[in-house]
Amino acid sequence: MIEIMPDLPENVVAAIANGQVTGDDYEKVLIPAIEDKIRKQGKIRMLYQLGPNFTGFTYDAMWDDAKVGIWHLTAFEKIAVVSDVDWIIDAVKVFKFAIPCPVKTFRNKEFAEAKAWIIE
């Protein structure tokens, strides 16, 4: 399940994922939120938290994540990924060289720092 976090600047898409994240979560919640902000703002910042209750992605969700990243690769100014899942943190570190904006990882206990970094 993905929910959009309220009360952040207009150029920020902030989402929290808990439980099992599916392709429907991307297609009905996250992708529309990203595309709406891009239409309105041009460039956006992404704060994506995999919360303490996150259990994993379905194959469709991983595919949708890759597609949205490729389709909108140059639309991101900054990306912060917050997670306690080691393979997620490692994957972001491996692939961030291919992303043309600053990308930073944080642990869930560092959420406040992630939020501050994404809006600065």
Side-chain angles (χ1 to χ4, degrees):
M1 173 180 177
I2 296 177
E3 296 177 290
I4 301 301
M5 296 179 213
D7 303 325
L8 283 149
E10 283 299 311
N11 66 333
V12 175
V13 174
I16 183 167
N18 281 299
Q20 182 83 3
V21 176
T22 68
D24 276 350
D25 294 321
Y26 271 79
E27 292 166 19
K28 294 179 180 173
V29 179
L30 190 57
I31 293 172
I34 289 170
E35 291 181 344
D36 180 58
K37 291 278 187 178
I38 290 170
R39 271 192 301 280
K40 292 176 181 172
Q41 301 296 319
K43 294 266 190 183
I44 63 168
R45 297 173 181 202
M46 180 79 199
L47 173 60
Y48 193 13
Q49 181 181 20
L50 304 177
N53 298 320
F54 171 77
T55 57
F57 293 106
T58 64
Y59 173 77
D60 290 345
M62 290 189 292
W63 178 244
D64 284 340
D65 186 75
K67 286 190 306 187
V68 77
I70 291 167
W71 290 339
H72 302 296
L73 188 62
T74 60
F76 293 97
E77 289 182 325
K78 281 182 168 181
I79 300 170
V81 177
V82 182
S83 177
D84 291 332
V85 181
D86 289 333
W87 74 264
I88 298 283
I89 298 292
D90 292 342
V92 170
K93 288 178 181 176
V94 166
F95 290 107
K96 75 180 184 178
F97 78 91
I99 302 169
C101 71
V103 178
K104 208 165 173 185
T105 58
F106 300 85
R107 297 293 179 163
N108 278 305
K109 68 182 179 184
E110 301 170 315
F111 179 78
E113 290 91 340
K115 186 176 174 184
W117 181 77
I118 207 70
I119 62 175
E120 70 182 19

